[in-house]
Amino acid sequence: MNKSQMIQTGWLVETAAGLMYWPMSELAEAFKYCEADAKPVPAWAYASELDAHQSAQATQEA
């Protein structure tokens, strides 16, 4: 994994209900679901794949 080609997209937290995701702006909310000694895990995506996905989504919404 080459982080220079990646973009952090949000935060992951493992809970009893399963894996939960929060966007970058909701780090404080993600911490609410962590145990006292845990913290949210950064979620990363390849910039090229994220761009392709966003372009495809924009095309479908148009």
Side-chain angles (χ1 to χ4, degrees):
M1 170 172 59
N2 183 349
K3 282 194 176 180
S4 68
Q5 298 171 343
M6 301 188 82
I7 297 171
Q8 185 180 355
T9 61
W11 304 98
L12 299 172
V13 175
E14 183 72 32
T15 69
L19 192 62
M20 299 178 76
Y21 172 87
W22 285 270
M24 293 292 293
S25 62
E26 296 189 24
L27 178 59
E29 185 68 19
F31 264 105
K32 293 178 183 178
Y33 292 85
C34 290
E35 298 295 329
D37 60 342
K39 61 182 180 180
V41 176
W44 295 85
Y46 283 105
S48 59
E49 291 179 358
L50 187 57
D51 288 344
H53 172 74
Q54 290 171 336
S55 292
Q57 289 294 96
T59 301
Q60 291 178 9
E61 293 174 3

